[in-house]
Amino acid sequence: MAETVPASVPPCAPSPGPFPAPRLRRLALRPARRAGRSGPRDTPGGPGGERCDLCSQPVPAEHRHLLDIRADAVSCACRACALLFDRREAGGAHYRLLPLRRIRLAGEVFDDALWAGLGVPVGLAFFTRAGESGEIRAGYPSPMGLLRATVDPHRWHEVESGLAACAPDPAAPADDVEALLVNRTEGVREHWIVPLDDCYRLAAVVRAHWKGLNGGPEVWRHIGDFFRSLPAGLPPPPPPPPPTASRSATRKEAP
């Protein structure tokens, strides 16, 4: 049975703990950040004067986020704090820096039978694995906020087989901080590996624009814009050639 995530999950109520969760509703109003991107929007303070939730320094419009694993809340990080938490041991078992990679998977991870077997009641969902327990949880953006449900681990083994066939290594999303994001709405079939803050941004979009019983045309337009804004990211580096091929090429190129 799905459960409603506490108010600490965006959009945007303060969370318990050493520092408050950010106003992630603002994420619904701007496109996805891109790794290495800079420009006139990348100025200190950002929209609404956003600040780092650790040190209170102003942050640019496009900045990194930290996951508070215990509170299931995401917080803004300035460049210095992001660099600090880029080392996993810096956050211990409490905080993790959310990664930047986004990969659109080729083919379909789920067929209709597998999707039905997971018991997912909607066509828009994301899946995460808890690093400590190994539990797989589904998240459903909804007009009430973000709903969560636990996934049958036996069914998830079938999903992992589909992931291995569709994605480059490493195929599986990283525990806690990455998600398998699925869009099966309006006849679409999209599967992505994305950082968790993208999923919370999508939840903010749905909550902000949903109207009536079926959402209305505006929310579906914004959902389409969200997926079109996701960059596919850089392709993985090609595998090194086998040793025999490498030595053969060297002999041919030698004078």
Side-chain angles (χ1 to χ4, degrees), residues 6 11 58 75 87 92 111 122 129 151 191 205 208 210 226 237:
S75 297
R87 296 179 296 108
D111 58 24
V122 292
R129 182 196 297 274
V151 175
H191 306 80
V205 168
W210 190 277
F226 168 87

Side-chain angles (χ1 to χ4, degrees), residues 89-251:
E89 61 272 17
H94 200 167
Y95 301 116
R96 295 277 303 280
L97 181 68
L98 295 183
L100 292 172
R101 77 164 180 165
R102 295 182 182 93
I103 301 173
R104 183 169 183 174
L105 306 182
E108 290 193 25
V109 178
F110 303 92
D111 58 24
D112 292 341
L114 178 55
W115 186 257
L118 288 174
V120 179
V122 292
L124 191 63
F126 64 90
F127 302 87
T128 56
R129 182 196 297 274
E132 185 173 341
S133 66
E135 181 183 71
I136 304 296
R137 302 189 77 194
Y140 316 136
S142 83
M144 297 178 293
L146 190 58
L147 306 180
R148 292 281 206 177
T150 303
V151 175
D152 181 343
H154 298 291
R155 290 286 186 180
W156 191 252
H157 288 318
E158 299 180 55
V159 176
E160 290 176 328
S161 298
L163 272 172
C166 293
D169 292 332
D175 289 350
D176 299 313
V177 294
E178 288 186 318
L180 173 61
L181 175 61
V182 181
N183 180 16
R184 293 172 59 90
T185 63
E186 306 284 308
V188 173
R189 295 291 185 270
E190 287 188 72
H191 306 80
W192 290 79
I193 294 174
V194 296
L196 190 58
D197 49 349
D198 277 349
C199 301
Y200 287 171
R201 187 167 62 89
L202 177 58
V205 168
V206 172
R207 185 171 180 179
H209 299 288
W210 190 277
K211 300 289 190 300
L213 294 177
N214 66 353
E218 182 183 1
V219 73
W220 297 110
R221 177 172 59 81
H222 282 284
I223 289 171
D225 290 343
F226 168 87
F227 280 97
R228 283 188 290 272
S229 77
L230 287 179
L234 296 176
T244 53
S246 178
R247 285 195 297 268
S248 173
T250 302
R251 284 196 299 268

Side-chain angles (χ1 to χ4, degrees), residues 18-22 50-59 63-68 73-86 90-91 94-97:
F19 51 89
E50 288 178 285
R51 292 181 175 272
C52 176
D53 286 305
L54 280 78
C55 68
S56 297
Q57 289 296 309
V59 295
H63 54 269
R64 303 292 295 275
H65 292 106
L66 290 172
L67 173 67
D68 181 339
V74 172
S75 297
C76 300
C78 67
R79 186 168 301 171
C81 290
L83 287 172
L84 172 65
F85 282 92
D86 197 26
H94 200 167
Y95 301 116
R96 295 277 303 280
L97 181 68

